[in-house]
Amino acid sequence: MQHAPAPAIPPSFYLKRHAQVVHALILAGVALLLAQPVLLLAFDRPWLDLLGVDSFLGLLAPPADGPARWRTALVSLLPVGGGLYALRQLWRLFSEYGHGRVFGNVAQDALMRFAWAVLLLALLLPIARGLMSVALSIGNPPGQRFLAITIAWFDCLHVLFGAVLVAIARVMVEARRLADDNAGFV
């Protein structure tokens, strides 16, 4: 009995499969992002406590009344919008990767935009959480209103991650420029 080697699978198959998995994860991320304001509006305080929405959004406590829920939901649209923009760029990037266009202009543009979106979101999320704390407490009596700015270790990690992504995107743009220059000499 002879053993026949398994047929070789082209590398583009793995890249296409990876792009499909990332697209599925992006859809899950979109659903989670869109769930944030909906959860704030749809449930009252006992349910918000049970669901852990306050920790999900980085709030000190869930909104106690209807107007506070509306204000907090409206403020939460800022990071949700930024997150949706970043995920849109990631979708574009992996669509290009799935078609094998790893070093194309569209892929590099999407990578650069995603990198900047990640960096800017990392810098702006502590501010958004602060605005949500104001939205939560603005209906309180004078002396009980507050602004809470929190910066955690993962905020710093997100900034570093964003900075690394921007650097990688710049390196890829420079590599493509050099490759185009070298191709002109041949």
Side-chain angles (χ1 to χ4, degrees):
M1 175 179 207
Q2 272 189 315
H3 173 67
I9 298 175
S12 61
F13 170 80
Y14 295 109
L15 195 55
K16 185 173 185 170
R17 179 70 51 173
H18 187 79
Q20 291 170 342
V21 169
V22 171
H23 277 160
L25 292 172
I26 291 169
L27 291 174
V30 167
L32 284 172
L33 280 173
L34 293 175
Q36 289 181 8
V38 172
L39 287 173
L40 283 168
L41 292 174
F43 296 104
D44 58 2
R45 187 169 186 142
W47 279 102
L48 292 175
D49 285 336
L50 180 67
L51 294 171
V53 172
D54 52 341
S55 62
F56 183 59
L57 293 173
L59 300 173
L60 299 174
D65 60 359
R69 284 200 316 255
W70 273 99
R71 288 189 303 269
T72 307
L74 285 174
V75 172
S76 76
L77 292 177
L78 295 171
V80 166
L84 290 174
Y85 176 80
L87 290 177
R88 172 70 179 120
Q89 298 311 313
L90 202 58
W91 185 277
R92 286 179 58 218
L93 176 66
F94 278 90
S95 291
E96 290 295 301
Y97 286 179
H99 290 100
R101 297 185 292 258
V102 177
F103 297 107
N105 285 335
V106 175
Q108 288 187 343
D109 178 62
L111 177 61
M112 184 67 78
R113 288 174 186 264
F114 174 72
W116 278 109
V118 168
L119 182 58
L120 291 174
L121 275 170
L123 293 170
L124 294 177
L125 276 175
I127 295 169
R129 288 192 303 263
L131 289 173
M132 280 191 251
S133 72
V134 170
L136 277 172
S137 66
I138 202 158
N140 293 349
Q144 294 181 2
R145 297 175 187 152
F146 58 90
L147 165 65
I149 302 281
T150 58
I151 298 175
W153 68 271
F154 54 83
D155 291 321
C156 299
L157 188 63
H158 291 155
V159 169
L160 288 173
F161 180 66
V164 167
L165 280 175
V166 169
I168 289 170
R170 288 186 185 270
V171 165
M172 292 199 52
V173 167
E174 185 63 21
R176 176 147 193 227
R177 188 189 64 77
L178 289 173
D180 289 345
D181 286 348
N182 287 339
F185 290 122
V186 174

